[in-house]
Amino acid sequence: MPREVVLRAVAAYEWPGASAALAEVEHLPQDVIEVMVGHSDRRVRVALGSNPHVDPVQRARLLTDPDWRVVARTLRGGRHPDGDPRPLPDEGYARFLTWVMSSRSDAGDRMLTQDEMLQEFLAARDTPSHIFRSFVRRPEPELRSMACGWWEVLPPDERRALIHDPVREVRERAARVEADVRRRLTGIDWAPVNRGSESAISCRLLARVDAERIVWGDAPAHYRYYAAGNPHLPVDLVAVLGRDPDPAVRYRVSMRPELTEGQRAGIDYRVPELEDLDDAMRYDACPAAGTPETWARSAHPGVRRIAACSGGLSGEARDRLVRDPDLGVRVLTCRHQAGVTPELLLRAYRDYRGRDRGRLTWRPGFPTRGLARFADDPDPGMRELVLRDPDAPIEVVVRLLADPERCVRTALARHPALAGERLLALLDDPELGPCAAANPALPVAVMHRILDAAGVPRVP
């Protein structure tokens, strides 16, 4: 969108709907971003922080905003039309934590105490889990103490580091948590739905009688799934769950970190369906032994998926995983590893049909030119890619405006090949009009007329 049009919306931030519109603008010019970052009104900064189209590196600049409402909206992010919000960069989170823990966080209109700010941060659902685990290595003892709250997902070496922390308060909390985890869980609520019991069954030391009741089926059936990941479950009961009739239970057993490659191979597991890779991996354990390089050579697709999400992979391991026979491994490698070729990014997008499929198009190197060849593809997601091809023939774009799938029609209404009277005519279309109004080929004079008609004041 032309900078003068966006700046007009920024200047009219008090006009009803202006902030909401700014939160959805694609391709904000850098000088406009600079204006919004330094704007005196928090509503403009909130719009920038929650805009899913803005580069996360730019949004992360607002994590130290003096107004906590701006920070909160930036942490939560906005829902990208192609999937979940793009995570903010790790250095942005690190800068935020340093700011919160310093005296500088007392400046401005933050309205919340330091502890409340941290609780808001912990509640932000889109913050990557590895950021929370990184608290173990933070210089602030308060954050290292908070890391004890993720005791069950911390590797043994990080638990030991907390138990031997130089600060007494951290050591004491780590010791309390370790003792609590090792204390047998009693008083399980056997109701069919009890989230507290599900969490406890996943990680707490169970009394033998309760563990047997769960494993042998004298409890809500889904409790076996949670028990399958319990690190304290006796070996003989783990073996029973490895033969469970539920394939999800057998798969979770196969991902237990203490198992050898041979033991994993002895379980008749089934890799989860690829409806949503993030959800499918949510409860997968991280192998305790080895490194991402060794996990990448595992015969178990679930272990290779974890390797694909890990940092520190060599180029050789990346190139092997991106051609892996398991689709989940290929997709996760494309999403998390740098240097994947455009051809392989496109292949992963074509093969994957999960809800978060569109995230692949965000990756650096995802192709643009030549995508018009998919205009007749039976997959609507492939036909949508024509929008990304700047050389798509106008006749192809026009034909796709009448595509049977709404997602294709609305996407192609934003193609810059549309121009002149054809594009102006779309503005009156009840379905395609809003998308045509966002078309970068729309004349600037027409954009200003639309804003005039909506009552947005002109910039002096």
Side-chain angles (χ1 to χ4, degrees):
M1 182 175 289
R3 64 180 300 277
E4 59 267 33
V5 175
V6 183
L7 287 173
R8 182 177 175 184
V10 171
Y13 62 87
E14 293 184 346
W15 177 76
S19 296
L22 288 170
E24 298 179 2
V25 174
E26 299 183 45
H27 311 302
L28 281 172
Q30 185 60 41
D31 59 341
V32 174
I33 290 176
E34 297 300 328
V35 170
M36 296 179 72
V37 167
H39 202 279
S40 59
D41 193 280
R42 66 170 173 82
R43 289 171 290 185
V44 175
R45 305 197 303 278
V46 163
L48 179 66
S50 58
N51 188 321
H53 304 286
V54 173
D55 185 339
V57 173
Q58 297 293 339
R59 291 178 48 233
R61 296 168 62 187
L62 295 169
L63 288 177
T64 54
D65 192 276
D67 191 310
W68 172 248
R69 290 165 290 192
V70 177
V71 177
R73 289 296 290 123
T74 302
L75 286 171
R76 289 196 294 269
R79 313 310 297 183
H80 195 283
D82 289 328
D84 290 335
R86 289 178 287 182
L88 298 169
D90 288 3
E91 57 269 24
Y93 290 118
R95 190 169 62 250
F96 162 78
L97 290 169
T98 300
W99 174 77
V100 169
M101 302 306 295
S102 72
S103 59
R104 290 192 301 275
S105 63
D106 292 330
D109 181 21
R110 63 176 179 82
M111 296 176 17
L112 301 177
T113 66
Q114 184 183 82
D115 184 63
E116 289 171 334
M117 294 170 78
L118 286 172
Q119 293 304 320
E120 285 286 334
F121 172 68
L122 298 178
R125 67 176 298 272
D126 300 311
T127 304
S129 59
H130 72 269
I131 296 297
F132 300 137
R133 295 197 297 271
S134 73
F135 283 18
V136 175
R137 299 180 296 278
R138 292 287 306 186
E140 304 89 353
E142 298 90 346
L143 296 182
R144 298 200 301 277
S145 180
M146 292 182 71
C148 297
W150 301 285
W151 197 258
E152 288 298 331
V153 299
L154 294 178
D157 60 328
E158 294 186 349
R159 294 187 198 176
R160 286 193 295 270
L162 292 171
I163 289 173
H164 299 288
D165 194 274
V167 176
R168 178 175 56 83
E169 289 80 6
V170 178
R171 294 196 304 272
E172 290 178 348
R173 184 175 184 194
R176 288 196 303 271
V177 172
E178 174 71 3
D180 188 56
V181 166
R182 292 186 176 280
R183 188 179 302 116
R184 293 187 185 278
L185 176 67
T186 58
I188 294 177
D189 186 343
W190 299 105
V193 178
N194 185 281
R195 300 300 180 192
S197 289
E198 290 172 358
S199 175
I201 290 168
S202 292
C203 61
R204 295 285 297 279
L205 185 64
L206 303 174
R208 177 76 191 196
V209 63
D210 288 333
E212 290 182 348
R213 181 176 179 182
I214 293 169
V215 168
W216 294 111
D218 188 21
H222 64 290
Y223 278 10
R224 300 197 310 278
Y225 175 80
Y226 293 100
N230 188 309
H232 308 293
L233 199 67
V235 174
D236 61 317
L237 297 183
V238 171
V240 173
L241 290 180
R243 301 186 298 272
D244 194 273
D246 186 340
V249 173
R250 299 197 303 274
Y251 175 79
R252 197 170 188 201
V253 171
S254 75
M255 292 297 293
R256 291 179 66 91
E258 75 273 15
L259 298 186
T260 65
E261 283 288 293
Q263 290 171 323
R264 295 188 205 279
I267 299 172
D268 182 23
Y269 62 82
R270 184 188 308 165
V271 180
E273 295 294 326
L274 296 177
E275 296 178 359
D276 186 323
L277 274 171
D278 285 340
D279 285 346
M281 294 189 65
R282 186 165 296 159
Y283 297 106
D284 285 358
C286 182
T291 65
E293 290 287 321
T294 59
W295 305 339
R297 293 191 291 271
S298 172
H300 194 298
V303 178
R304 299 199 304 276
R305 288 182 183 185
I306 292 174
C309 300
S310 304
L313 276 184
S314 66
E316 184 274 330
R318 176 205 63 206
D319 293 343
R320 185 172 66 254
L321 291 177
V322 81
R323 293 175 173 83
D324 196 274
D326 178 71
L327 175 58
V329 175
R330 299 199 301 272
V331 171
L332 289 168
T333 304
C334 288
R335 286 217 310 234
H336 293 277
Q337 304 298 325
V340 179
T341 65
E343 295 76 17
L344 292 174
L345 286 169
L346 181 61
R347 176 194 171 192
Y349 177 89
R350 176 155 204 164
D351 294 343
Y352 181 50
R353 302 297 179 90
R355 179 183 62 85
D356 51 352
R357 179 190 200 185
R359 293 176 62 178
L360 288 165
T361 64
W362 307 344
R363 298 298 295 163
F366 193 91
T368 54
R369 299 187 185 279
L371 298 179
R373 69 184 186 274
F374 298 117
D376 296 310
D377 196 281
D379 178 3
M382 296 302 294
R383 300 198 299 275
E384 277 188 81
L385 292 181
V386 177
L387 169 65
R388 300 175 58 86
D389 189 346
D391 302 322
I394 181 61
E395 58 271 18
V396 171
V397 174
V398 171
R399 175 162 57 83
L400 291 176
L401 291 175
D403 192 273
E405 296 291 336
R406 185 179 185 276
C407 62
V408 179
R409 298 193 300 272
T410 55
L412 271 295
R414 304 195 306 272
H415 199 289
L418 296 170
E421 294 302 320
R422 183 177 280 120
L423 177 57
L424 296 178
L426 283 180
L427 294 174
D428 296 324
D429 187 290
E431 178 186 65
L432 302 181
C435 300
N439 192 310
L442 194 68
V444 175
V446 175
M447 295 182 187
H448 282 296
R449 286 204 299 270
I450 292 173
L451 293 176
D452 290 340
V456 178
R458 293 254 181 179
V459 178

